[in-house]
Amino acid sequence: MRATDIITKKRGTFVTKSNGERILKDSLPLTKEEIHFMIQGCVDGSIPEYQMSAWLMAIFFNGMTFEETGYLTQEMLNSGDTINLHKYNYEQFNNAIFIDKHSTGGVGDKISLPLAPIVASCGLKDPMMSGRALGHTGGTLDKLESIPGYRTDLSEEQFVDFVAKTGYAMVGQSKKIAPADKILYALRDVTATVESIPLITASILSKKIAEGADGLVFDVKYGSGAFMKSTEDAKLLAQFLVNTSKAMGKKASAFITDMNTPLGYKIGNFLEIEESIECLKGQGPQDVMDLTYEIGAEMLVLAEIAKDREEGLNLCKKAVESGKALEKFLQNVKDQGGNAEELMNQINVRRSPYKTELIAEEDGYINIDAYKTGIAGVTLGVGRNKTTDFVCADAGIILHAKSCEKVTKGTLIMEIFGKDKDCLTPALNTLKQALSYSERPLKKNPLFFEKI
């Protein structure tokens, strides 16, 4: 078996039409053995990066079937360690169905932070492996590490122990989890093949399944601040994620949700911890609460804790109203080395000293673009352009008005906090570009577009 032959099979062959035009056609599906050969060669170095890059480009242009995507996901999963939660002899794991969620990323998307303690309060076991900020989207691990002392570099034994004891744990991907994904993602980033839906699917699922989940609920975002700009692309990705998960024996469903404008009122690492605590007190923004409850209810249904959506929603709301969800969150903070008392004392107090404001320059109904807001966040220090970039825990943006709301000239729209003084002016200029005004009321996109 040769890499060149596999690349050619996926690439297709040139055919000359009667008018002299040459076109590529007859790309063929790859077998499980061929995909195994490519991934094994990728990890052990026997297939050079230039051939892997050519293979990725062939997949980018010609796609993959659900079956091929399943093979690719399984091979990437098998390239490293996996966690089998069912092998652990914990009383709390008896008959447990482990369910997690995954968001395709957005601006102000803090849903995992209040969601995990809410569903854990309802008896669900959630092994949550999360990522870091990259580009305009935020990262759950960066937000958690803004909590004094909080650690996300847990051993497998610590991770499993906390899931058993508290109901959930938050951990980052170790070097031994899906190493093929690290190599392929780096190549995709520099070969303009990131947007391939089969490659996105395999990347997400190889990590999520490695953490030990029996089922997954996906929050697939669309819009300016999302990876998928259109509802059509988001729906296709959702179908790939759900169908591939099911082909691998996992329960799965997906929500397609709006990311044209930021979620909530607070954007930034510590600021989103603050807003998550507000949610756990039942005082969070409506959009964040609605999305958290809806995904939570679906997770409880997949875990067979709730018989239907209505019961799941009621259980989630009761977990918040009773105070149990906030208790779970603070217990997780303590589990993972954080100082819960210091955290609570910092709420609404801890801010970067480098601050400016965005004031409305005219009357009108406003729209705040999620992508440009996220880019401003990167300038402020909230996110990264590359994985080695430093993030500032106290940088961020507080919105005092949301899209579709009417403002008057001179109204405070945003408080802006930066990593240093120099970043404030360029970030403010980007945020002014993110803000637009209309004389007429704007139509608000529904938060939920479709469920798959």
Side-chain angles (χ1 to χ4, degrees):
M1 197 174 290
R2 300 190 313 157
T4 304
D5 297 330
I6 297 171
I7 294 166
T8 302
K9 183 178 179 181
K10 176 49 66 176
R11 183 205 66 190
T13 56
F14 273 112
V15 174
T16 303
K17 299 172 67 174
S18 58
N19 63 1
E21 180 186 1
R22 298 186 76 210
I23 61 170
L24 271 173
K25 62 179 297 186
D26 297 330
S27 168
L28 298 173
L30 301 179
T31 66
K32 182 177 181 179
E33 291 73 23
E34 288 166 335
I35 292 173
H36 170 77
F37 178 82
M38 294 300 292
I39 296 302
Q40 185 179 49
C42 167
V43 174
D44 66 24
S46 61
I47 299 177
E49 287 189 353
Y50 57 81
Q51 286 189 312
M52 291 304 303
S53 297
W55 187 58
L56 293 174
M57 189 62 75
I59 293 170
F60 178 85
F61 281 115
N62 292 311
M64 281 183 147
T65 64
F66 287 131
E67 187 176 39
E68 284 179 285
T69 306
Y71 292 152
L72 178 60
T73 304
Q74 190 68 56
E75 291 300 329
M76 289 169 64
L77 173 69
N78 292 341
S79 71
D81 293 347
T82 59
I83 299 172
N84 179 5
L85 292 165
H86 292 286
K87 77 177 184 181
Y88 285 88
N89 188 28
Y90 284 96
E91 182 181 351
Q92 298 96 322
F93 287 177
N94 288 343
N95 302 315
I97 300 174
F98 300 96
I99 307 293
D100 192 13
K101 61 80 71 167
H102 176 81
S103 168
T104 56
V107 180
D109 181 9
K110 57 197 68 70
I111 302 303
S112 293
L113 300 171
L115 175 66
I118 288 173
V119 294
S121 299
C122 300
L124 186 142
K125 302 301 179 190
D126 183 359
M128 189 168 281
M129 186 178 291
S130 301
R132 298 192 180 277
L134 189 60
H136 72 282
T137 62
T140 300
L141 298 183
D142 298 310
K143 297 166 192 177
L144 289 165
E145 288 174 357
S146 73
I147 299 172
Y150 197 101
R151 292 179 52 242
T152 59
D153 57 336
L154 305 178
S155 68
E156 179 176 328
E157 290 71 23
Q158 289 173 317
F159 178 63
V160 176
D161 189 52
F162 295 153
V163 172
K165 182 181 72 164
T166 304
Y168 78 102
M170 301 284 207
V171 69
Q173 181 185 357
S174 75
K175 293 180 180 179
K176 295 182 179 180
I177 295 288
D181 177 61
K182 289 187 177 69
I183 299 169
L184 292 184
Y185 192 90
L187 289 175
R188 288 165 57 208
D189 192 37
V190 296
T191 57
T193 55
V194 171
E195 295 91 340
S196 166
I197 286 177
L199 295 177
I200 294 171
T201 300
S203 177
I204 290 171
L205 291 183
S206 62
K207 296 188 290 286
K208 281 293 179 181
I209 294 174
E211 74 188 10
D214 298 312
L216 293 160
V217 178
F218 299 99
D219 180 8
V220 180
K221 309 242 178 241
Y222 78 93
S224 72
F227 207 59
M228 301 288 109
K229 303 303 180 186
S230 69
T231 54
E232 293 81 7
D233 284 345
K235 184 173 181 177
L236 182 59
L237 176 56
Q239 289 170 334
F240 259 83
L241 287 167
V242 170
N243 290 342
T244 305
S245 297
K246 289 182 176 179
M248 298 181 73
K250 305 297 180 181
K251 297 185 174 188
S253 59
F255 294 97
I256 298 172
T257 66
D258 179 58
M259 186 35 72
N260 283 293
T261 193
L263 270 171
Y265 287 96
K266 294 182 178 180
I267 302 159
N269 295 312
F270 187 73
L271 288 174
E272 294 191 41
I273 293 291
E274 279 190 356
E275 193 160 78
S276 298
I277 290 172
E278 291 167 13
C279 292
L280 292 169
K281 292 179 177 180
Q283 301 165 1
Q286 193 64 51
D287 54 355
V288 179
M289 297 300 294
D290 288 347
L291 189 50
T292 301
Y293 284 146
E294 198 70 45
I295 294 174
E298 183 68 13
M299 291 173 73
L300 295 179
V301 171
L302 291 188
E304 300 177 10
I305 292 171
K307 65 178 182 295
D308 54 28
R309 172 180 174 270
E310 184 177 356
E311 183 180 3
L313 288 172
N314 287 334
L315 288 171
C316 289
K317 290 175 182 178
K318 286 179 181 177
V320 171
E321 292 165 1
S322 67
K324 290 181 179 179
L326 180 57
E327 288 177 14
K328 283 283 184 187
F329 177 83
L330 296 176
Q331 181 58 55
N332 169 258
V333 169
K334 294 174 185 176
D335 288 345
Q336 300 195 214
N339 188 323
E341 184 177 354
E342 185 178 354
L343 166 64
M344 297 306 287
N345 288 336
Q346 291 177 342
I347 300 300
N348 296 320
V349 175
R350 179 177 162 184
R351 296 287 184 269
S352 167
Y354 307 105
K355 179 186 175 184
T356 189
E357 295 178 344
L358 192 158
I359 306 297
E361 297 177 347
E362 57 185 277
D363 297 347
Y365 295 89
I366 63 168
N367 181 66
I368 301 172
D369 179 81
Y371 176 73
K372 292 177 181 176
T373 303
I375 292 299
V378 175
T379 303
L380 292 167
V382 172
R384 299 177 176 84
N385 284 312
K386 54 184 184 294
T387 55
T388 54
D389 286 350
F390 163 80
V391 295
C392 177
D394 298 334
I397 303 161
I398 299 177
L399 304 179
H400 288 267
K402 297 260 285 176
S403 289
C404 301
E405 292 181 6
K406 188 174 184 179
V407 300
T408 57
K409 185 177 180 179
T411 301
L412 173 64
I413 295 180
M414 301 182 194
E415 290 180 88
I416 303 161
F417 301 91
K419 60 186 176 183
D420 54 38
K421 184 179 179 181
D422 293 339
C423 72
L424 294 176
T425 298
L428 177 60
N429 291 336
T430 302
L431 288 168
K432 286 180 178 179
Q433 296 172 22
L435 182 66
S436 59
Y437 301 85
S438 172
E439 294 180 358
R440 297 182 179 181
L442 298 170
K443 184 179 180 182
K444 190 173 184 179
N445 289 331
L447 182 59
F448 295 92
F449 175 75
E450 189 173 344
K451 179 183 173 184
I452 303 294

